[in-house]
Amino acid sequence: MEAERGKVRLRPPRNALDQRVVGWWRLQGTLFWGAPVLVLVVLGLLIAPARFWLLAPAAVIAVLGLVWVIAMPLWWFKVHRWEVTETAVYARSGFFWQEWRVAPMSRIQTVDTLRGPLQQVFKLATVTVTTASARGAVKIRGLDHELAASLAEQLTETTQATPGDAT
């Protein structure tokens, strides 16, 4: 009983992201945290008088980054969920502030997929569902690229068959 006379209920989405998303997030985190560590280490090795003042922060950032790279992707994987039904697109994401979004089919304007360079390495994609909402698009990141293409096609067909003007 998803919707009762056109009403959409807010409920937790059922589907998890593709497990490869953990690796994608870890690689992003490694690049994010690793860049300043690398710069500080190189400068610390080149500038002897400031070596301690450059290598000490590099070590702190490296430890924080390592904790982040290990823990955060696992946490995010547990939190991020999505689902598409006949009546709506559901998405839950976030970290400390978790956001649940529901986009009724009648409000969907466009459906897009995106595959950045790192996503392509992991065979992942992002589906963006643009609605008439001032809150912005609903994004489902970390789907298998073939599932994302199929989902975009399904959503396009469903929204074309759904009455409403998407405003």
Side-chain angles (χ1 to χ4, degrees), residues 14-74:
R14 293 189 175 107
N15 302 320
L17 301 177
D18 190 288
Q19 289 223 345
R20 290 172 290 185
V21 75
V22 173
W24 175 49
W25 286 332
R26 283 190 171 148
L27 181 55
Q28 287 178 310
T30 300
L31 295 172
F32 177 82
W33 291 94
V37 169
L38 181 62
V39 169
L40 289 170
V41 166
V42 168
L43 289 175
L45 295 175
L46 294 175
I47 306 170
R51 185 164 289 145
F52 174 79
W53 300 108
L54 293 167
L55 295 181
V60 170
I61 294 169
V63 168
L64 291 173
L66 182 62
V67 169
W68 189 97
V69 165
I70 291 170
M72 292 308 300
L74 294 175

Side-chain angles (χ1 to χ4, degrees), residues 75 79 92-100:
W75 184 351
V79 171
R92 183 178 71 188
S93 62
F95 174 51
F96 288 122
W97 291 269
Q98 294 179 11
E99 179 180 52
W100 289 20

